[in-house]
Amino acid sequence: MFSPKWLRVIPLHLMLVPALLLVLVYSYGPIAGIYLAFEKFMPSKGLFGSPFIGLDNFRYVWDLPDTNQVLINTIVIAGMKIVLNVTAPIILALLLNEVRLKFFKRSIQTIVYLPYFLSWVLLGGILIDILSPSQGIVNQILQSIGLKPIFFLGDPAWFRFTVIVTDLWKEIGFNTIVFLAAITSASPSLYEAAVIDGANRWKQTLNVTLPSMLPIIVLIATLSLGNVLNAGFDQIFNLYSPQVYSQGDILDTFVYRIGIIDTQYGVATAVGLFKSVISFLFISISYLLAYRFANYRIF
């Protein structure tokens, strides 16, 4: 005799309880801290006992001389990362798809994917060593061909470029694997029809491979737009120094210095809330555009 359906699904729902508790405690619980953005926080009076000051923290932030430059740095660095981390993996995936030697193809996949598993704490130390203007291997190569050494992590003119390129080096492997998986979804019959029609490999790529990748490309690009103000705190924090603040300081490091070092918790929360609201708007717009132009929808 079969038990009622609701009795059979109870164990499945119970399995969700630990994950649900984690989300409630670590994702929804801290939302109460948003109130800090609208008060002059005093530890002795607590979160809800401190004086309410409305939008004064936001006005204070906008009046700071560094705010505009920090916002520009964040948008430029994050924007370049989004563009490169979508386009470069597509190109690499298309190139790897043309490789017929499986051992070579898998070796390249492993090499480009490996940095993704390393933290920026470890990579930061490695990059500081290899990019050192005095003993770094990169500058030794430049000097060997008659060029002057470059202070990649200390020269504001080079810092943004260094951050963007090293981030691409670390992240390109993951999206490449995703796009390679998307390529396998293309029906072999489409390639066979293209060959019969006289299409060469380039035309097959344009008319069969890329259209089959389009849903995943739209998904990756849509999710990336939500990070338009997220330029990578871990990376910047481990690589930057005061001499490159003018070109490398971003919202997250700005919040860290204001909130953790200067203990202005209300001001730091105001900046974080501003960033979250803008990111929410961008990702909402991106989902709307993805649905309108690519018929992509989550639900």
Side-chain angles (χ1 to χ4, degrees), residues 12 60 96 110 114 124 135 159 162 165 173 179 196 199 202 246 258:
L12 300 178
Y60 174 78
L96 286 175
T110 303
L114 183 61
Q135 299 179 348
F159 185 76
T162 305
V165 171
F179 290 133
I196 294 173
W202 173 245
S246 61
I258 293 177

Side-chain angles (χ1 to χ4, degrees), residues 35-297:
Y35 187 67
L36 276 171
F38 306 97
E39 66 177 9
K40 185 177 182 180
F41 180 70
M42 297 180 179
S44 60
K45 295 185 177 180
L47 177 61
F48 298 105
S50 300
F52 180 81
I53 58 174
L55 299 177
D56 286 356
N57 285 329
F58 294 90
R59 297 189 186 98
Y60 174 78
V61 171
W62 285 113
D63 289 338
L64 291 175
D66 297 332
T67 300
N68 289 336
Q69 187 61 46
V70 167
L71 192 57
I72 292 173
N73 294 342
T74 304
I75 294 174
V76 170
I77 294 175
M80 290 301 298
K81 284 183 177 181
I82 290 172
V83 172
L84 290 178
N85 283 327
V86 173
T87 56
I90 293 174
I91 297 172
L92 182 56
L94 292 174
L95 294 175
L96 286 175
N97 186 55
E98 299 300 319
V99 176
R100 293 295 172 258
L101 190 60
K102 290 186 177 180
F103 175 77
F104 179 74
K105 180 178 180 179
R106 291 174 180 174
S107 299
I108 296 298
Q109 286 179 284
T110 303
I111 291 172
V112 300
Y113 197 28
L114 183 61
Y116 181 79
F117 295 99
L118 303 179
S119 70
W120 274 114
V121 176
L122 178 60
L123 288 178
I126 294 174
L127 290 172
I128 289 173
D129 286 337
I130 67 176
L131 297 178
S132 170
S134 57
Q135 299 179 348
I137 185 173
V138 174
N139 278 303
Q140 288 181 5
I141 294 173
L142 292 177
Q143 288 178 319
S144 67
I145 59 177
L147 299 178
K148 294 182 179 180
I150 300 173
F151 197 179
F152 291 98
L153 299 178
D155 186 349
W158 283 95
F159 185 76
R160 282 184 186 172
F161 171 81
T162 305
V163 165
I164 293 168
V165 171
T166 54
D167 180 78
L168 178 63
W169 167 62
K170 183 180 186 297
E171 301 292 334
I172 191 174
F174 179 81
N175 283 344
T176 299
I177 299 297
V178 173
F179 290 133
L180 280 172
I183 291 175
T184 61
S185 65
S187 175
S189 62
L190 296 176
Y191 289 103
E192 294 171 0
V195 171
I196 294 173
D197 290 338
N200 56 25
R201 295 299 300 177
W202 173 245
K203 290 185 178 179
Q204 291 177 40
T205 299
L206 290 179
N207 297 291
V208 179
T209 307
L210 281 175
S212 67
M213 297 170 61
L214 185 59
I216 298 300
I217 294 175
V218 171
L219 173 62
I220 298 296
T222 299
L223 295 177
S224 298
L225 287 177
N227 294 320
V228 69
L229 292 182
N230 185 14
F233 171 79
D234 292 346
Q235 180 191 19
I236 301 294
F237 184 75
N238 283 285
L239 295 179
Y240 84 149
S241 56
Q243 60 260 40
V244 295
Y245 278 177
S246 61
Q247 299 296 312
D249 198 17
I250 60 174
L251 282 174
D252 289 331
T253 54
F254 190 52
V255 169
Y256 170 80
R257 292 203 310 277
I258 293 177
I260 304 300
I261 297 179
D262 297 338
T263 66
Q264 299 184 63
Y265 302 115
V267 178
T269 305
V271 178
L273 180 59
F274 165 77
K275 174 188 169 184
S276 299
V277 171
I278 297 300
S279 298
F280 174 76
L281 291 176
F282 268 97
I283 200 168
S284 298
I285 294 172
S286 64
Y287 278 129
L288 178 63
L289 294 176
Y291 171 70
R292 182 168 183 179
F293 295 105
N295 199 29
Y296 171 81
R297 56 195 307 175

